[in-house]
Amino acid sequence: MLNLLPGGRILVAVESVDGRKGIDSLAGVVRSVMKGDPLSGDLFVFKNRTGDKLKILAWMGDGFALYLRRLEKGTFAFPVAADASVAVTPTQLAMILGGLDPAKARERRRYKTPT
C-alpha cells in the first residue's frame, strides 16, 4: 500500500517516460527532469508514451516502492502543464486512477484554512 507521508506532495510528470524504466531510472528522472528529491516522501507519478500504463514511485522510509497500473483498454487522463511536473491532490490522483479526467471535473467551493 502506498502512503503519502505528512507534508508530502503528489507530483505528476507531464511528459511520458520509457515504460521499461525501473526504480533507479525513475529516481534519476525525478532528480534531473522534475528537479525533485526522490527521498522526500513525495509520490511521483509517470505515464508511458501511449498513456495506458502509469507508475508511481514512492520512498517508504527504508526503501522504494514502485506501483504499476496497466489498462487493458483506454488511457489515463494526465494533467497538461508548461512545467516538467504538476502537483495534484490525493482526490485528483484517485480520479486519474479511476478513469476520470480531473481537468473536466468541477470543484465545489470549500472552506480553506488561511495560511
Side-chain angles (χ1 to χ4, degrees):
M1 170 186 266
L2 291 176
N3 292 320
L4 188 60
L5 297 178
R9 301 173 299 163
I10 302 171
L11 297 171
V12 176
V14 174
E15 295 294 321
S16 60
V17 298
D18 185 345
R20 299 171 290 183
K21 288 188 183 289
I23 291 173
D24 295 327
S25 297
L26 291 174
V29 171
V30 169
R31 285 186 196 97
S32 63
V33 177
M34 300 172 75
K35 306 295 186 215
D37 178 12
L39 304 178
S40 65
D42 296 341
L43 298 182
F44 300 95
V45 184
F46 306 91
K47 67 175 178 175
N48 67 340
R49 182 182 47 82
T50 58
D52 64 341
K53 296 181 188 93
L54 68 74
K55 290 184 178 182
I56 301 174
L57 179 68
W59 176 252
M60 304 305 285
D62 59 354
F64 284 104
L66 184 62
Y67 173 79
L68 169 68
R69 174 95 190 260
R70 181 186 77 187
L71 297 176
E72 294 300 319
K73 188 174 185 180
T75 59
F76 293 103
F78 268 60
V80 178
D83 295 333
S85 64
V86 61
V88 298
T89 65
T91 302
Q92 290 168 324
L93 178 60
M95 291 172 71
I96 292 169
L97 291 170
L100 300 173
D101 186 352
K104 294 183 180 176
R106 191 179 71 154
E107 188 175 348
R108 306 283 297 186
R109 190 173 70 194
R110 295 281 190 256
Y111 174 78
K112 293 183 181 170
T113 306
T115 56

